[in-house]
Amino acid sequence: MTSRALFVGLTSVVIAVVLQTTLFVNDSLRFFDATPNLVLVAVVASALALDAEPAIFLGFTGGLLTDLLGGSPLGLWSLVMTVVAYVAVRLRGMVVDRWLLVVPGVLLLAIGAGVLFVGDATLFGEQPFKDPGVFRIITLTAVYSSATALVIVPLMGWAMQPRRTRRNAAL
Amino acid sequence: MLRSTRRPDRTNVVFIGLVVLSFLLTTYDVQTAGAGGIVTGLRNGAEAVFTPVQKLSSAVTRPVVNFVDGIANLAGLRSENEALAIEVARLEQELAEVEVLRAQVEALQTAANITVPDGLDAVEARIFAIGPSGFDNVRSIDKGSADGLGVGMPVVDHLGLIGRIDVVFENQSRVRLITDPSVRVGARVVRTGEVGWVSGRGSGPLLLEMFDASEVVAEGDQLVTSGGRFPPGLLIGVVVEGARAEAGFALRSTVDPYIDVSGLDYVQVFLETRQDEQGEIESVPPDDAPPIAPPEETP
């Protein structure tokens, strides 16, 4: 892992947070009123390229930023994204160089993240289960996230490679 | 005796440490109700760093998104144009009937003892960011304490009540929508004048609960705010299904909010904060609504 990869990963997560909060203000890009979880996709893409510990720290950071800019108590998304990064790190041996596996991988991780968030939020007195569409939101977000992962994960993987590797790949 | 020399995996240690830290953060935030020094400092810091970037991003992406949306709809524009011509003719005919309806509405408001907030100072604001996750029923607006906004102030658009100011910073604020499960609004059924609660259910319709209802609510009944923490008479929504109170039980029904949550853009904030005796949750007001209190101090 290079410092460049870490920089790209961190920048990508920050950009994902900004886009997540601004790109879907209008309903034009919503998919049945759901939005992709761009932060989760960026965290997974980083976890595939970074060393284990920095990847998990990056997941925690992405979750913390989501908490800080959202309406839920601090730490809920930090926990979820840390778990997502950890699972992605542990499973990445299965998907490296097999990018198509990223789509079902992100789909399952996003569903797991949604379920974990709802459980964690309920534990701390939030009321996500009052929303009758809670499972619809989890499912659609996961589908949308996995679709965007098809573009974002290879792009980030390419950007996080060392320059020499990228040049050789281009040649 | 053999001693195990195997050290714990550093990755696992980091993971467990961060999970524990997350739990501690949540516990602290919940215990301090979001007002803890560390949490406030972190949120203020994040807002200070991210607000300019979010506003820039919103300014850049909004026209692009609208353009893409326009391209996507190009095929449908021709048929939409023809439909609009027919609609204009129909609306001209309806216009004549509006005056009659206006008189009926005034009579209805008088009958229901509704006082539409009149002469309140309001600030217009624009939504530039939404909550990052699908479970966040919050919006960020581009006005803050520098414009006179304070926590608890009601936010409306041309369709009705949107929510209330949740967190205020100098140049931006966060609005918690009426669809959020933590928000309860005192409501009055326009037709009967009876009062109850409306609470959010995320992406689902609002929930109406009336504990002393003597009359049924019917499909299509209009609900307005009854007072308490919101000025009375603000449109909330329309009853989806009729219901009656069974003996000993509360009347429960569902309500479609007037506002289009996913299409919110410009909003208005009423520059008044109403207090009630129960603090966070506004009470169904007694006949004599509490006086208007001065705006609270910005946290």
Side-chain angles (χ1 to χ4, degrees):
Chain A
M1 185 197 77
T2 62
S3 56
R4 172 195 166 79
L6 186 59
F7 175 76
V8 171
L10 187 60
T11 308
S12 302
V13 168
V14 170
I15 291 173
V17 171
V18 172
L19 288 180
Q20 184 79 53
T21 54
T22 55
L23 202 56
F24 305 101
V25 170
N26 293 334
D27 54 0
S28 309
L29 295 181
R30 291 174 190 237
F31 174 61
F32 292 105
D33 207 26
T35 60
N37 192 334
L38 297 179
V39 183
L40 182 138
V41 176
V43 165
V44 172
S46 301
L48 295 180
L50 295 175
D51 286 345
E53 289 89 21
I56 295 170
F57 269 113
L58 203 61
F60 176 80
T61 307
L64 190 64
L65 291 176
T66 306
D67 285 328
L68 286 170
L69 297 179
S72 52
L74 216 59
L76 290 182
W77 279 109
S78 313
L79 173 77
V80 172
M81 290 300 179
T82 303
V83 173
V84 165
Y86 179 79
V87 174
V89 163
R90 289 299 183 201
L91 298 181
R92 66 184 169 188
M94 296 167 59
V95 295
V96 168
D97 294 332
R98 285 179 282 175
W99 292 112
L100 277 179
L101 283 178
V102 162
V103 174
V106 169
L107 181 80
L108 293 176
L109 280 173
I111 289 174
V115 172
L116 182 59
F117 175 82
V118 168
D120 196 20
T122 305
L123 194 69
F124 281 99
E126 299 288 297
Q127 300 167 308
F129 276 117
K130 266 184 89 175
D131 187 342
V134 62
F135 291 111
R136 183 185 60 85
I137 292 173
I138 290 173
T139 310
L140 289 178
T141 301
V143 170
Y144 209 166
S145 300
S146 59
T148 51
L150 202 55
V151 177
I152 293 173
V153 173
L155 196 66
M156 278 184 64
W158 175 80
M160 292 167 92
Q161 284 177 352
R163 274 209 188 107
R164 194 177 303 157
T165 315
R166 283 166 56 187
R167 204 177 296 133
N168 290 343
L171 290 172
Chain B
M1 192 174 124
L2 289 174
R3 268 176 51 187
S4 172
T5 55
R6 191 180 168 193
R7 292 182 178 178
D9 184 350
R10 205 171 67 172
T11 304
N12 288 340
V13 173
V14 169
F15 169 66
I16 292 167
L18 290 178
V19 166
V20 171
L21 180 60
S22 300
F23 263 111
L24 290 176
L25 274 174
T26 312
T27 307
Y28 179 74
D29 197 13
V30 170
Q31 289 290 323
T32 58
I38 301 170
V39 174
T40 307
L42 280 172
R43 284 198 196 278
N44 285 344
E47 296 293 339
V49 171
F50 276 91
T51 297
V53 186
Q54 284 177 313
K55 285 182 178 174
L56 180 68
S57 172
S58 181
V60 171
T61 56
R62 197 185 292 261
V64 176
V65 170
N66 289 344
F67 178 74
V68 172
D69 198 32
I71 294 287
N73 292 331
L74 204 58
L77 283 181
R78 186 185 298 274
S79 58
E80 191 178 335
N81 199 22
E82 291 168 2
L84 281 174
I86 298 168
E87 183 73 4
V88 166
R90 192 183 64 78
L91 286 174
E92 281 174 350
Q93 189 181 346
E94 282 189 359
L95 196 61
E97 299 168 14
V98 167
E99 288 307 315
V100 180
L101 286 172
R102 192 195 304 274
Q104 286 178 352
V105 168
E106 283 174 7
L108 198 59
Q109 286 177 338
T110 308
N113 197 22
I114 296 165
T115 51
V116 177
D118 201 11
L120 283 178
D121 284 334
V123 168
E124 189 169 88
R126 190 169 200 191
I127 290 171
F128 69 89
I130 60 174
S133 85
F135 301 102
D136 282 319
N137 299 292
V138 294
R139 298 288 185 273
S140 296
I141 58 174
D142 60 357
K143 297 286 165 63
S145 59
D147 305 283
L149 270 60
V151 172
M153 290 180 175
V155 184
V156 300
D157 75 353
H158 63 288
L159 294 173
L161 181 66
I162 289 172
R164 62 177 157 82
I165 300 290
D166 187 29
V167 182
V168 178
F169 302 96
E170 188 178 357
N171 291 308
Q172 70 135 324
S173 306
R174 193 175 71 189
V175 180
R176 197 165 282 275
L177 304 177
I178 54 171
T179 52
D180 190 276
S182 69
V183 173
R184 294 179 84 190
V185 181
R188 185 189 299 273
V189 181
V190 171
R191 184 176 55 83
T192 64
E194 292 193 318
V195 294
W197 299 100
V198 166
S199 51
R201 296 199 305 164
S203 63
L206 307 173
L207 176 68
L208 169 67
E209 291 174 292
M210 301 173 76
F211 296 99
D212 299 313
S214 56
E215 298 193 43
V216 297
V217 294
E219 182 184 346
D221 271 349
Q222 280 192 319
L223 292 178
V224 295
T225 52
S226 59
R229 291 184 69 185
F230 295 101
L234 299 175
L235 289 170
I236 298 174
V238 62
V239 173
V240 176
E241 53 192 13
R244 68 171 64 245
E246 302 296 335
F249 292 95
L251 180 154
R252 284 194 170 82
S253 185
T254 49
V255 175
D256 257 346
Y258 279 119
I259 58 164
D260 174 16
V261 172
S262 58
L264 295 172
D265 194 356
Y266 285 99
V267 300
Q268 283 205 319
V269 184
F270 289 142
L271 297 183
E272 68 154 43
T273 306
R274 291 175 165 228
Q275 308 257 348
D276 64 45
E277 294 166 359
Q278 296 182 21
E280 277 304 302
I281 299 173
E282 62 272 27
S283 59
V284 178
D287 290 338
D288 50 341
I292 296 173
E296 293 173 2
E297 288 292 319
T298 306

